[in-house]
Amino acid sequence: MEKIVLFDSVCNLCNSSVQFIIKHDKKGQFLFGSLQGNYGQETLRKFNLPTNEFNSFMLLEDGKLYTKSTGALRMLKHLGGAWSLLYAFIIVPKFIRDGVYNWVAKNRYKWFGKKEACWVPTPELKARFLD
């Protein structure tokens, strides 16, 4: 079961989220791709999404793309342990979950900053990144 996390590679919050996932992904089940990279751009085109907007966490799971709060909650569910309990928030209506998500996404650069260049994984983690 393939699970690929697509993220904004210049966003400090997004990069911290990827590092969080790596730290807690004991099974090594997630791969990662930058929305700005080749794989991310191909995926955005495949799902008819804008290729110049990077304001969503995305989880590609078995050919289905989950975005925003749904993608984040599904990822937490797969991490297992106590993190999977947060999946219970899936019962909150999507327009409310995504409303909160969009508010954070809109302010993420202001609150958490932005990198001038993409985060580069260590050689040990390189195999888990698609490009």
Side-chain angles (χ1 to χ4, degrees):
M1 192 156 138
E2 188 173 73
K3 297 175 195 77
I4 300 170
V5 171
L6 298 173
F7 67 102
D8 176 356
S9 63
V10 298
C11 166
N12 286 339
L13 175 62
C14 304
N15 282 305
S16 294
S17 297
V18 167
Q19 291 173 26
F20 170 87
I21 296 166
I22 290 168
K23 179 180 177 182
H24 294 91
D25 180 18
K26 304 301 183 199
K27 299 176 188 172
Q29 60 190 320
F30 292 101
L31 297 175
F32 303 91
S34 161
L35 286 167
Q36 292 92 336
N38 292 333
Y39 188 87
Q41 289 289 294
E42 288 174 22
T43 302
L44 291 171
R45 281 190 291 278
K46 177 181 176 184
F47 288 93
N48 298 311
L49 295 169
T51 57
N52 60 346
E53 294 179 19
F54 310 117
N55 58 358
S56 181
F57 177 95
M58 298 184 182
L59 176 64
L60 184 60
E61 184 181 347
D62 292 330
K64 185 162 170 51
L65 188 65
Y66 301 94
T67 62
K68 299 184 180 188
S69 63
T70 303
L73 289 171
R74 287 188 67 85
M75 177 278 302
L76 288 167
K77 175 180 156 184
H78 292 302
L79 279 184
W83 299 112
S84 64
L85 297 176
L86 293 172
Y87 187 71
F89 283 102
I90 202 75
I91 67 169
V92 174
K94 185 172 172 47
F95 77 93
I96 295 172
R97 287 186 283 117
D98 282 352
V100 172
Y101 183 96
N102 290 336
W103 177 66
V104 172
K106 180 180 172 186
N107 293 291
R108 72 189 188 280
Y109 293 146
K110 181 171 41 172
W111 296 341
F112 301 98
K114 183 177 176 179
K115 297 184 183 311
E116 293 303 318
C118 298
W119 174 68
V120 178
T122 63
E124 300 83 37
L125 294 176
K126 191 86 169 139
R128 294 182 67 184
F129 286 79
L130 301 171
D131 52 16

